[in-house]
């Protein structure tokens, strides 16, 4: 069904649905209740990135015209390097940064309406004792600019990430955990499989499985066409994203949605920054062979899924052999890191703690071992 246009979206509370059962994350039954809405447009006003990240950097790749926008938060611990999905931006990790504070007993700081922001910001220093968050805008997304923004081939995206990490950290990077959502999950797997990043210690893939992703590609053009394509204001785009779009967390939408838009001067409205419809020839390459490549990555691995998903034969055998950990995050949509940032962040920090990953590598009392050096 085509999403309702904004003009038909009524300012009223939406009745809650029953919690998802054992359905696929892509089924209607797995979609969580949408938040209640109110008349005030202030509720959908954009939030500035500076409330979440410490710094915005422009990383120019030597010998090219490519400049990637990167956001950083924290100054201690290993680097959690985040790669967003197609059509998103690096801002999707903003809620993850704040969500980490829930690990310190502040689970009620932010509710579905985004209240309690000041309380969470007052504890900003706590995450810096655990990990650093680095999030980049991939090619053709956010504020990054390249010589060919429509070249979203898996080879080019992989090369971009490796180039950004090398430009930022040189030959002696801190310990790195790659975290990738959807398309970004595939990019993270390819980066890890290349074994070119020194001091890489972990791989977290979020809500992407080869079989399900490949099967969904035949429907992708229709899904993209059925989105609301133009918005009279950024506030309306944020409103649609939580009423008829992919998100459930209003605060997260207020941070992440503006960077996915561009202003169309001729039409006097906002439209999507990334022309995913024009990149169809690359879609198959994002996911083909992903399962075997994921299993081959020589680092600790987690697969986070929004609801139960069908694992293919390779992943099923790999899980039984203990080659990776699978975690099912209930009652969330596809954008797990935005919908339930507290739970998502807890999984990341538990991963770091369980594997004893310090700022420079694996840390054991009385012994520091740096893998990949």
């Amino acid at each position: 069904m085509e999403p309702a246009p904004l003009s038909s979206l009524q300012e009223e509370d939406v009745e809650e649905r029953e919690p998802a059962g054992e359905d696929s994350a892509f089924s209607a039954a797995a979609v969580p209740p949408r938040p209640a809405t109110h008349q005030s447009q202030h509720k959908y006003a954009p939030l500035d990135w500076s409330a979440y990240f410490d710094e915005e950097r422009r990383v120019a790749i030597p010998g090219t015209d490519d400049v990637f926008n990167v956001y950083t938060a924290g100054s201690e611990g290993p680097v959690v390097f985040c790669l967003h999905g197609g059509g998103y931006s690096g801002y999707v990790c903003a809620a993850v940064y704040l969500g980490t504070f829930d690990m310190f007993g502040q689970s009620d700081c932010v509710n579905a309406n985004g209240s309690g922001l000041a309380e969470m910001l007052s504890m900003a220093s706590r995450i810096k004792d655990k990990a650093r968050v680095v999030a980049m805008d991939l090619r053709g997304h956010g504020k990054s600019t390249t010589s060919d923004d429509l070249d979203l081939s898996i080879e080019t995206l992989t090369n971009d990430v490796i180039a950004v990490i090398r430009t930022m950290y040189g030959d002696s990077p801190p310990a790195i955990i790659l975290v990738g959502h959807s398309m970004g999950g595939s990019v993270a797997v390819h980066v890890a499989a290349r074994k070119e990043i020194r001091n890489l210690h972990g791989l977290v893939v979020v809500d992407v499985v080869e079989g399900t992703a490949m099967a969904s590609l035949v429907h992708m053009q229709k899904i993209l066409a059925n989105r609301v394509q133009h918005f009279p204001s950024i506030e309306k785009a944020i409103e649609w994203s939580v009423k008829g779009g992919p998100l459930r967390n209003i605060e997260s939408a207020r941070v992440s949605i503006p960077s996915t838009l561009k202003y169309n001067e001729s039409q006097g409205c906002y439209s999507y920054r990334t022309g995913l419809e024009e990149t169809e020839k690359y879609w198959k390459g994002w996911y083909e062979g992903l399962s075997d490549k994921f299993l081959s990555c020589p680092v600790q691995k987690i697969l986070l899924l929004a609801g139960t998903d069908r694992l293919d034969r390779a992943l099923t055998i790999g899980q039984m052999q203990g080659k990776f950990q699978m975690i099912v995050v209930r009652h969330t949509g596809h954008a797990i890191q935005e919908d339930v940032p507290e739970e998502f962040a807890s999984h990341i920090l538990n991963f770091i703690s369980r594997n004893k990953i310090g700022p420079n590598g694996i840390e054991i009392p009385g012994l520091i071992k740096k893998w990949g050096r």
Side-chain angles (χ1 to χ4, degrees):
M1 179 181 295
E2 183 172 350
L6 284 174
S7 59
S8 68
L9 293 176
Q10 300 299 313
E11 301 289 351
E12 60 184 13
D13 290 351
V14 179
E15 181 180 358
E16 290 193 357
R17 287 169 284 191
E18 292 298 318
E22 296 299 317
D23 301 279
S24 166
F26 296 94
S27 70
V31 178
R34 297 186 183 279
T37 59
H38 303 285
Q39 294 184 353
S40 174
Q41 276 298 299
H42 177 71
K43 179 179 181 179
Y44 302 106
L47 292 174
D48 189 77
W49 66 266
S50 61
Y52 298 82
F53 293 102
D54 296 335
E55 182 184 11
E56 178 184 34
R57 296 177 56 181
R58 301 285 287 169
V59 179
I61 306 303
T64 75
D65 296 325
D66 302 340
V67 181
F68 294 93
N69 218 56
V70 176
Y71 303 92
T72 65
S75 58
E76 302 293 336
V79 169
V80 178
F81 199 96
C82 301
L83 304 175
H84 60 78
Y88 292 83
S89 78
Y91 281 156
V92 300
C93 283
V96 175
Y97 176 55
L98 287 184
T100 309
F101 300 143
D102 187 46
M103 292 293 291
F104 304 97
Q106 299 295 330
S107 60
D108 296 326
C109 282
V110 170
N111 58 26
N113 294 328
S115 64
L117 178 60
E119 289 87 343
M120 294 192 76
L121 290 175
S122 69
M123 298 179 294
S125 62
R126 297 195 181 188
I127 189 177
K128 299 176 183 180
D129 294 330
K130 297 294 181 179
R132 288 168 275 183
V133 175
V134 177
M136 68 176 285
D137 290 337
L138 294 172
R139 175 181 296 258
H141 294 74
K143 297 180 182 178
S144 291
T145 58
T146 68
S147 57
D148 185 358
D149 278 357
L150 290 178
D151 180 7
L152 298 188
S153 67
I154 191 62
E155 294 80 9
T156 297
L157 293 172
T158 300
N159 290 335
D160 287 344
V161 174
I162 293 174
V164 167
I165 292 175
R166 285 178 172 170
T167 302
M168 290 182 67
Y169 301 113
D171 293 330
S172 300
I176 294 175
I177 298 101
L178 285 175
V179 178
H181 169 242
S182 197
M183 178 195 77
S186 175
V187 177
V189 168
H190 280 77
V191 170
R194 288 263 290 268
K195 305 177 184 178
E196 295 182 24
I197 300 300
R198 303 179 68 181
N199 222 13
L200 179 63
H201 288 270
L203 175 62
V204 182
V205 175
V206 185
D207 210 40
V208 57
V209 171
E210 178 182 349
T212 306
M214 292 292 288
S216 70
L217 291 182
V218 296
H219 307 292
M220 193 54 59
Q221 284 289 4
K222 183 177 181 180
I223 292 172
L224 294 174
N226 281 347
R227 300 182 298 176
V228 175
Q229 301 295 320
H230 302 94
F231 306 94
S233 67
I234 293 178
E235 288 81 2
K236 281 296 184 181
I238 295 171
E239 180 182 358
W240 178 80
S241 74
V242 294
K243 284 185 173 180
L247 303 181
R248 301 296 177 269
N249 186 322
I250 294 176
E251 182 191 11
S252 179
R254 292 170 67 190
V255 181
S256 65
I257 291 299
S259 63
T260 68
L261 305 171
K262 63 181 180 180
Y263 187 71
N264 189 316
E265 294 282 354
S266 62
Q267 296 184 353
C269 63
Y270 291 88
S271 57
Y272 296 108
R273 152 75 168 101
T274 306
L276 289 176
E277 299 89 343
E278 303 174 63
T279 65
E280 182 175 7
K281 63 181 178 180
Y282 302 121
W283 296 350
K284 185 178 179 181
W286 294 346
Y287 306 117
E288 194 170 44
L290 185 61
S291 294
D292 287 335
K293 196 171 291 290
F294 172 71
L295 293 171
S296 73
C297 294
V299 294
Q300 296 296 317
K301 299 177 283 291
I302 294 181
L303 176 61
L304 291 175
L305 297 176
T308 55
D309 208 338
R310 294 185 298 275
L311 298 184
D312 55 31
R313 177 179 174 81
L315 287 181
T316 300
I317 294 175
Q319 185 189 21
M320 294 174 63
Q321 293 176 337
K323 292 184 177 180
F324 70 95
Q325 179 185 7
M326 185 179 78
I327 298 176
V328 177
V329 182
R330 305 288 182 179
H331 315 315
T332 180
H334 179 49
I336 298 174
Q337 72 283 359
E338 295 204 62
D339 289 346
V340 287
E342 295 90 350
E343 182 176 355
F344 181 82
S346 73
H347 291 309
I348 300 299
L349 288 185
N350 286 339
F351 176 81
I352 293 172
S353 176
R354 184 173 62 253
N355 291 287
K356 298 180 173 61
I357 304 174
N360 298 307
I362 302 300
E363 295 186 348
I364 301 175
L367 174 68
I368 296 179
K369 180 180 179 182
K370 301 178 181 179
W371 289 15
R373 289 292 188 93

